[in-house]
Amino acid sequence: MEFLLRTQKECSRAPTRAQVTLVYRGILKNARMFFDDTTREFIQTYAKLKFRTNLHDSDTERARKKLTQATTTLHLLERANKGVFKDVISVLEYGYGRKGPRKLIMLEATVGIGQREQVFGTLSEVEKYRPAFFALAKYQLGCEKLTVSSEALKSTNPLNIAKAQDAHWERIQHRLLPPIDASTMNMLEDRANTGVITSAMLACSDPQTANLVQEWERVWIKIPEKRSVRRYYRRLLESMVRMDVSTRMVDNPGKYKGNMARRSAIDTAKPDLIPERIYAFVESSMAGHTQPSHANAVDCAGLD
């Protein structure tokens, strides 16, 4: 009984400054050791932001919960730096927005859907006012999975169908993976092909700065073997897609095209053609092909 009371009392206490500092420093240290520069920078920046934001949190239960989450992140980074495959992939997915907070940031930047933004309406309505989001959802899920079947609902009342469709859009938001730009895709493909990780900072810096960066990397970063690097980035590329946006001119649906005598002065001033954006999604040639050939099999086996 005394043990239960003591445990209960310890759980009701707020985390000490020493406990928080230990976890915080551990996350920054392990983040500096991770081999991927994009992921490393994101984890360090996000960890500093979250710890500073929650520095003066007076809610004991919430503070303990956040410390538990931070400790879980620390253990994940430690296992990833030891080369545990699934944990390395998980950390890379956080860094490139396949899951976690960066996923929401990238979705807002690429298709205009924020964390608290709601998507609602029929397919045609969403396609009109959220074209990038609709195009991404159609590409990743298929058009048939974007609408709610009225046969599966208890009531076929139009209002009930509309509410079910709005709830379905919210579920779709959580399932979507944000697209990436062409430069990021090229970088990942280069690392997946060569197994060589070159920091982007070295390419745009003077020789003295480059030497300092290389010295820092030799001290901190644990670069895996080439065959492991290939495996990591090939696995990551399976969930990556590049979004290409182009523009074409289409007929203006808001312009009256009937008898010239019935046109108003405002309608006459409207252009005949208006620009329309076209969203195209391109997968990497390595997506879904972790072992497409004998050469790839040799690489994964470490026989290169």
Side-chain angles (χ1 to χ4, degrees):
M1 188 66 180
E2 290 180 3
F3 170 76
L4 293 175
L5 291 173
R6 186 167 64 250
T7 306
Q8 231 176 22
K9 188 176 180 181
E10 290 175 356
C11 290
S12 62
R13 293 176 183 172
T16 63
R17 186 180 183 86
Q19 289 175 320
V20 175
T21 304
L22 183 65
V23 175
Y24 176 60
R25 289 177 177 174
I27 289 176
L28 294 183
K29 179 181 177 180
N30 281 275
R32 285 197 297 269
M33 296 168 65
F34 197 68
F35 61 90
D36 184 83
D37 50 355
T38 303
T39 305
R40 184 170 62 242
E41 181 182 353
F42 168 71
I43 293 175
Q44 288 178 313
T45 305
Y46 189 72
K48 291 176 183 178
L49 175 65
K50 293 301 289 183
F51 273 90
R52 288 172 183 170
T53 303
N54 300 315
L55 184 61
H56 303 291
D57 192 350
S58 57
D59 191 312
T60 302
E61 185 177 352
R62 186 166 59 236
R64 291 195 68 86
K65 187 179 294 185
K66 290 177 180 177
L67 181 62
T68 302
Q69 293 173 350
T71 306
T72 303
T73 303
L74 173 58
H75 293 161
L76 176 66
L77 286 170
E78 289 174 343
R79 293 193 300 271
N81 285 328
K82 290 178 181 177
V84 181
F85 182 79
K86 67 174 184 178
D87 294 314
V88 173
I89 298 302
S90 183
V91 174
L92 285 173
E93 286 176 340
Y94 279 112
Y96 286 93
R98 303 303 93 189
K99 58 184 178 182
R102 195 165 203 174
K103 175 183 173 181
L104 301 174
I105 297 171
M106 290 179 65
L107 276 175
E108 184 172 8
T110 53
V111 299
I113 299 298
Q115 184 175 3
R116 293 182 175 85
E117 190 164 359
Q118 291 185 345
V119 179
F120 53 87
T122 62
L123 294 186
S124 58
E125 291 172 341
V126 174
E127 185 178 9
K128 183 178 180 180
Y129 77 88
R130 282 290 180 266
F133 169 80
F134 180 82
L136 182 65
K138 184 179 178 181
Y139 172 79
Q140 291 187 355
L141 303 177
C143 196
E144 65 278 357
K145 292 188 178 181
L146 299 186
T147 182
V148 174
S149 175
S150 58
E151 298 176 359
L153 301 176
K154 294 181 179 179
S155 172
T156 57
N157 185 284
L159 182 60
N160 185 45
I161 295 175
K163 288 182 178 179
Q165 182 64 52
D166 293 345
H168 187 57
W169 284 123
E170 187 174 354
R171 291 191 293 270
I172 288 174
Q173 283 181 250
H174 295 293
R175 293 177 60 185
L176 288 188
L177 297 177
I180 59 173
D181 56 283
S183 60
T184 303
M185 179 73 83
N186 293 335
M187 180 194 70
L188 295 177
E189 288 181 337
D190 182 62
R191 294 179 180 181
N193 280 318
T194 63
V196 178
I197 301 172
T198 53
S199 176
M201 191 182 297
L202 298 176
C204 56
S205 57
D206 57 275
Q208 185 177 1
T209 306
N211 290 333
L212 290 174
V213 172
Q214 287 176 337
E215 183 64 29
W216 178 83
E217 289 182 344
R218 278 194 292 269
V219 173
W220 279 106
I221 299 176
K222 292 184 175 181
I223 300 294
E225 297 179 0
K226 287 186 178 181
R227 63 177 181 269
S228 298
V229 172
R230 294 189 190 106
R231 288 183 64 206
Y232 296 148
Y233 286 104
R234 283 171 184 166
R235 174 63 182 82
L236 183 65
L237 281 168
E238 292 182 5
S239 61
M240 292 290 190
V241 63
R242 187 181 81 237
M243 183 172 72
D244 294 336
V245 184
S246 57
T247 306
R248 67 178 179 184
M249 302 303 291
V250 297
D251 291 335
N252 186 356
K255 183 164 185 176
Y256 179 72
K257 297 182 175 61
N259 190 353
M260 284 291 295
R262 296 183 59 184
R263 293 187 181 186
S264 62
I266 297 176
D267 188 72
T268 307
K270 292 179 181 179
D272 293 328
L273 300 175
I274 58 173
E276 179 186 64
R277 284 191 169 188
I278 303 173
Y279 300 93
F281 300 95
V282 183
E283 284 187 352
S284 168
S285 57
M286 308 178 74
H289 301 286
T290 53
Q291 293 183 345
S293 63
H294 175 70
N296 197 351
V298 169
D299 292 341
C300 291
L303 304 177
D304 53 341

